[in-house]
Amino acid sequence: MTTGKPPIVDQQTWRSKLDDLRRREKAATRELDAIAAERRRLPMVELPEYTLMSGDGPVRLADVFGGKTQLITYHHMWTDGAEWQCGGCTGFTSQFTRLDFLDNYDARFVIVTNGPIEEALAYRDKVGNKMDWYSSSDSSFGTDVGAAPGDGFAVNVFFRDGDSVYRTWHTDGRGTEQLSHSFALIDLLPYGRQEEWLDSPEGWPSHPTYSGWLDSPDIARLYGKDPR
C-alpha cells in the first residue's frame, strides 16, 4: 500500500529545492557532453566480412548500412522456437517507430538476432515492431560483437569506409538505457520506476524489479498486426 507522497511546501522553498537539483542536472548534462566528445575520439577496429540474413536473402554486413556510413545494431535476445522472445528486448525495441531522422546523420539503426530469419520476421510482425531485422544465425557475428546465442542483449556501432566495416562502440546491460525514452520519462515522475532496488523515500511504492515492464504478449496485444 502506498503511504508516501512528496511534502507540501511554499513556492519559494520549492523553487530553491528545484534550483539545487537543476545544478546537479546541468552538471550531469555537461558530463554526458564530455563523454560523447570522448566517444567521438574512440579508435575503431576493422572487422572481417560477415554475411547476415535478411528477408530478401543473404546480405553482407557492409550492405546492411544501406549506403550509409554509420550503423547502430541492437542485438535482440533470442530462443529458437519460443512463442515469446525476451520481454525486455521486445518492449525496448518497440519504442523505435520513427527512425527516418537518422538519414540526415548518414546513419541507420537495425535489429540483429541470432534466430532464424523466418522466425525473426514473423515475430517482428507478431509484436508490431517497426525496425528492420537481420539474422546472424549462419555466422559468428553475434558472438564476435558481444551478443552470442543464449547470451544477453547488446548495442554496437559500426563505421563503413567503402566495403570495409569497423566496430566503434559497444554497450550492454543498463548501458542501453541511454537509447530509451521510456526510462527517461518514468524517472521524471515523483514515484520513479517503483522498483525495489531504488533509493526512494519511506512509503514510496516499491515492486519487484521488472514487474512494471510490458511483457512480449502485452506489446503484441497493443501493437501487433493481429491484436487480441
Side-chain angles (χ1 to χ4, degrees):
M1 180 178 178
T2 300
T3 58
K5 62 181 180 180
I8 300 172
V9 297
D10 59 77
Q11 176 74 15
Q12 183 177 358
T13 301
W14 176 82
R15 187 75 244 182
S16 176
K17 291 293 186 181
L18 179 63
D19 289 344
D20 288 342
L21 181 61
R22 185 60 45 79
R23 282 187 283 272
R24 295 185 64 183
E25 291 174 339
K26 287 183 176 294
T29 297
R30 290 191 290 270
E31 176 62 13
L32 288 173
D33 288 342
I35 290 171
E38 186 171 350
R39 188 182 296 119
R40 291 191 293 273
R41 289 166 173 80
L42 281 175
M44 59 187 184
V45 59
E46 186 170 6
L47 299 180
E49 184 170 302
Y50 292 100
T51 298
L52 306 183
M53 293 298 297
S54 72
D56 297 323
V59 57
R60 299 182 310 158
L61 177 60
D63 293 327
V64 173
F65 284 71
K68 308 300 184 185
T69 301
Q70 302 162 107
L71 175 70
I72 304 168
T73 57
Y74 181 87
H75 299 261
H76 197 295
M77 294 175 65
W78 192 268
T79 301
D80 289 355
E83 179 183 6
W84 299 108
Q85 301 297 335
C86 170
C89 290
T90 303
F92 183 86
T93 55
S94 71
Q95 302 173 86
F96 303 106
T97 59
R98 298 178 62 185
L99 294 169
D100 293 340
F101 68 92
L102 288 174
D103 290 343
N104 291 338
Y105 296 90
D106 194 20
R108 192 181 186 206
F109 184 16
V110 304
I111 290 180
V112 177
T113 180
N114 293 304
I117 189 61
E118 295 82 6
E119 283 191 28
L121 295 179
Y123 184 74
R124 178 193 65 181
D125 292 344
K126 180 179 180 179
V127 298
N129 191 284
K130 304 300 182 184
M131 298 177 70
D132 291 322
W133 285 51
Y134 295 86
S135 169
S136 58
S137 61
D138 296 330
S139 80
S140 63
F141 177 66
T143 299
D144 295 345
V145 297
D151 205 350
F153 56 94
V155 171
N156 280 280
V157 181
F158 305 96
F159 183 87
R160 182 182 65 85
D161 184 9
D163 288 334
S164 297
V165 175
Y166 303 84
R167 189 183 187 199
T168 66
W169 189 75
H170 164 269
T171 194
D172 54 20
R174 292 194 64 199
T176 64
E177 288 186 10
Q178 60 190 291
L179 281 69
S180 168
H181 68 257
S182 298
F183 294 119
L185 288 173
I186 296 169
D187 285 343
L188 293 177
L189 302 173
Y191 286 147
R193 302 189 195 187
Q194 304 177 38
E195 296 189 352
E196 55 194 2
W197 61 273
L198 294 176
D199 177 7
S200 296
E202 184 177 353
W204 256 231
S206 180
H207 309 291
T209 303
Y210 313 127
S211 61
W213 296 21
L214 293 177
D215 202 356
S216 299
D218 302 315
I219 299 297
R221 174 175 52 81
L222 291 168
Y223 306 114
K225 284 191 172 182
D226 185 22
R228 292 180 175 84

